């Protein structure tokens, strides 16, 4: 069971309104409100700190509208860190901007890079113990997954790939809550890769709540999804509700907003 002591977050920028949106969880054309997103971000950081994490909260970067989603340009673990190679041009530069923060915690011989033609975003990487499930999606290709596996196996980790056949990232449609429990969609529930987990299918009208976040025994759950909340509470997890309404408008959710290690 993974215990976290540190996190890297990044304040939302005013250019957030131009963030990438597939409108998978909101009406097309909805735009986030900057001031509210800043308050929601600060509350998120406060919750992480209350759960025992030391948070490095980076300043906003107006060049990259989606850069508050620090989970995507890197994947971090105890023994190494992988700088990803985001597929979208508007996000690709984030990999360079996250590097100084990563170097505060990892030596150069622990930092690796996904190189073109490989692409990867951290939202497609779900950790279970020392194994990583890597979603092959529009953002993470087979070559990116191959390079990732080559890196992490040197440090005693393993990885395997699963298809992302709906939406953006793997962790929008499957999330591991420790204790062998997983929240999934009906489609992901049928994947052979996850057959040995206790799978709990989230109602189609609450799919956004699949991306809940396990932190040191507590589960952060987005506000407004009572059926999913009940599933998690019935499993015995303490819960903290978090308002992420503005980040949802540009495909962002709870895990996206931090790198945890």
């Amino acid at each position: 069971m993974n215990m976290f002591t540190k996190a890297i977050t990044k304040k939302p920028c005013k250019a957030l309104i131009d963030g990438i949106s597939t409108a998978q969880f909101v009406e097309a054309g909805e735009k986030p409100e900057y001031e509210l997103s800043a308050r929601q971000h600060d509350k998120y950081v406060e919750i992480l700190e209350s759960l025992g994490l030391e948070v490095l909260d980076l300043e906003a970067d107006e060049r990259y509208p989606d850069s508050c989603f620090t989970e995507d340009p890197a994947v971090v673990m105890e023994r190494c860190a992988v700088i990803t190679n985001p597929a979208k041009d508007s996000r690709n530069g984030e990999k360079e901007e996250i590097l100084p923060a990563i170097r505060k915690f990892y030596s150069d011989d622990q930092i690796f890079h996904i190189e073109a033609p490989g692409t990867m975003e951290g939202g497609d990487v779900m950790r279970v113990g020392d194994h990583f499930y890597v979603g092959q999606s529009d953002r993470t290709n087979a070559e990116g997954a191959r390079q990732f596996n080559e890196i992490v196996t040197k440090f005693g980790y393993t990885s395997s790939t699963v298809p992302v056949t709906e939406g953006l990232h793997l962790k929008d449609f499957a999330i591991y809550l420790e204790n062998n429990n997983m929240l999934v969609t009906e489609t992901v529930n049928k994947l052979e890769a996850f057959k040995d987990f206790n799978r709990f299918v989230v109602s189609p009208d609450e799919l956004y709540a699949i991306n809940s976040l396990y932190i040191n025994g507590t589960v952060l759950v987005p506000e407004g999804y009572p059926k999913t909340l009940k599933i998690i509470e019935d499993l015995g997890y303490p819960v903290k509700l978090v308002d992420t309404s503005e980040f949802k408008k540009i495909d962002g959710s709870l895990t996206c907003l931090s790198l945890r290690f």
Side-chain angles (χ1 to χ4, degrees):
M1 187 174 296
N2 297 313
M3 295 293 291
F4 302 110
T5 60
K6 298 178 179 64
I8 299 171
T9 60
K10 193 178 187 76
K11 298 179 189 300
C13 61
K14 293 178 181 177
L16 185 80
I17 61 171
D18 297 319
I20 300 169
S21 177
T22 63
Q24 62 180 340
F25 299 121
V26 298
E27 293 293 327
E30 282 193 63
K31 297 285 190 179
E33 179 188 329
Y34 166 70
E35 296 292 348
L36 180 53
S37 71
R39 293 195 295 273
Q40 290 178 350
H41 170 84
D42 289 346
K43 181 62 177 177
Y44 178 85
V45 170
E46 179 184 311
I47 290 171
L48 294 184
E49 290 174 337
S50 76
L51 295 172
L53 277 64
E54 176 187 342
V55 180
L56 173 59
D57 192 21
L58 305 174
E59 291 303 314
D61 189 336
E62 296 294 339
R63 296 172 299 168
Y64 301 106
D66 296 283
S67 57
C68 58
F69 303 131
T70 56
E71 181 178 63
D72 288 322
V75 179
V76 293
M77 57 208 84
E78 296 87 353
R79 298 161 221 162
C80 65
V82 180
I83 306 301
T84 66
N85 190 29
K88 293 292 185 180
D89 289 344
S90 66
R91 297 207 65 187
N92 193 263
E94 293 176 31
K95 67 187 182 187
E96 304 299 336
E97 300 310 311
I98 200 70
L99 191 51
I102 297 297
R103 284 180 168 146
K104 292 179 183 294
F105 303 101
Y106 296 89
S107 60
D108 286 346
D109 62 356
Q110 293 178 299
I111 300 172
F112 299 83
H113 299 260
I114 303 297
E115 305 286 357
T119 62
M120 174 173 277
E121 292 184 4
D124 278 321
V125 181
M126 181 175 68
R127 182 174 180 176
V128 178
D130 280 347
H131 185 78
F132 294 91
Y133 291 95
V134 179
Q136 288 193 232
S137 69
D138 290 341
R139 304 294 182 88
T140 300
N141 64 17
E143 174 59 16
R146 186 198 67 77
Q147 290 181 32
F148 181 82
N149 181 70
E150 188 175 85
I151 293 164
V152 301
T153 52
K154 295 174 183 176
F155 291 87
Y157 302 101
T158 56
S159 77
S160 59
T161 59
V162 293
V164 177
T165 58
E166 49 188 339
L168 186 60
H169 289 136
L170 172 63
K171 284 189 288 196
D172 291 326
F173 302 99
I175 209 77
Y176 184 60
L177 297 179
E178 299 291 348
N179 305 313
N180 208 49
N181 297 324
M182 186 177 288
L183 300 180
V184 295
T185 62
E186 292 179 359
T187 300
V188 172
N189 188 45
K190 299 171 186 175
L191 290 181
E192 179 72 13
F194 300 139
K195 65 181 177 61
D196 293 330
F197 293 97
N198 304 318
R199 302 178 309 281
F200 298 88
V201 177
V202 169
S203 174
D205 62 337
E206 293 199 359
L207 293 187
Y208 180 73
I210 286 176
N211 195 278
S212 294
L213 174 58
Y214 177 95
I215 296 279
N216 299 347
T218 294
V219 178
L220 279 59
V221 183
E223 285 186 357
Y225 301 93
K227 289 179 278 190
T228 308
L229 175 63
K230 186 175 189 305
I231 290 172
I232 295 169
E233 288 181 329
D234 286 351
L235 287 168
Y237 297 103
V239 164
K240 287 185 180 288
L241 290 175
V242 188
D243 186 359
T244 55
S245 65
E246 302 314 292
F247 302 107
K248 180 169 71 171
K249 295 172 184 176
I250 52 170
D251 299 339
S253 45
L254 285 165
T255 68
C256 310
L257 288 163
S258 62
L259 280 168
R260 305 155 303 276
F261 52 107

